[in-house]
Amino acid sequence: MPKTQYRVYVVELSKKVFTEHRRFREANPQFNGVLECLYVGMTSKTPKERFLQHKMGYTNKRGHNLSSSIVRKYGSYLRPSLYNHIEPMTDRATALKMEEKLAMELRRKRYAVWYN
């Protein structure tokens, strides 16, 4: 059986998230309003499948909501140019570290970024 591959992905968010979501705004004091607001995530699905799960408010068989309310409400589309250079990873821990690393990198570039 092929090993699970994890991918990091980026979703562009509506800039309304910055004015309407206090925690998002507080997490991004470096944001100057010029660049976009982004969500960085990690998945074992394709980024497209995962984005659709967020938008539909996906719940698993146990009834747990697996979608981000920020992406569901403010998500516009995927930004592959910001993550296509990252190779898929074979373990979840590495992918989670890469998710945080990419989010911090984008914040340093003055994007407003949310990640879990």
Side-chain angles (χ1 to χ4, degrees):
M1 186 170 177
K3 215 166 163 98
T4 302
Q5 289 196 319
Y6 297 92
R7 293 170 180 82
V8 175
Y9 63 96
V10 178
V11 174
E12 183 166 323
L13 306 172
S14 163
K15 285 192 179 178
K16 286 197 301 187
V17 69
F18 195 79
T19 54
E20 295 178 3
H21 197 281
R22 180 186 54 81
R23 287 179 54 218
F24 186 91
R25 192 170 46 254
E26 289 171 357
N28 291 284
Q30 83 294 346
F31 185 61
N32 62 11
V34 175
L35 294 175
E36 291 82 18
C37 297
L38 305 171
Y39 173 88
V40 177
M42 177 275 301
T43 184
S44 60
K45 312 251 184 256
T46 68
K48 184 177 180 179
E49 285 175 297
R50 187 67 182 113
F51 177 66
L52 291 173
Q53 284 182 334
H54 284 301
K55 293 305 280 182
M56 294 184 321
Y58 179 76
T59 54
N60 67 10
K61 291 175 185 169
R62 293 182 177 174
H64 295 281
N65 183 358
L66 299 180
S67 63
S68 165
S69 60
I70 284 183
V71 178
R72 187 169 51 254
K73 186 171 181 180
Y74 301 104
S76 301
Y77 47 86
L78 289 166
R79 290 287 305 270
S81 64
L82 297 174
Y83 63 84
N84 270 347
H85 64 284
I86 301 170
E87 293 294 321
M89 291 145 272
T90 55
D91 69 286
R92 193 171 190 277
T94 303
L96 285 169
K97 286 178 190 166
M98 182 55 73
E99 174 187 333
E100 182 177 11
K101 181 181 175 189
L102 179 59
M104 293 297 106
E105 202 175 284
L106 292 168
R107 276 189 182 159
R108 278 192 298 279
K109 293 179 179 179
R110 310 209 27 124
Y111 288 96
V113 182
W114 189 259
Y115 72 101
N116 295 332

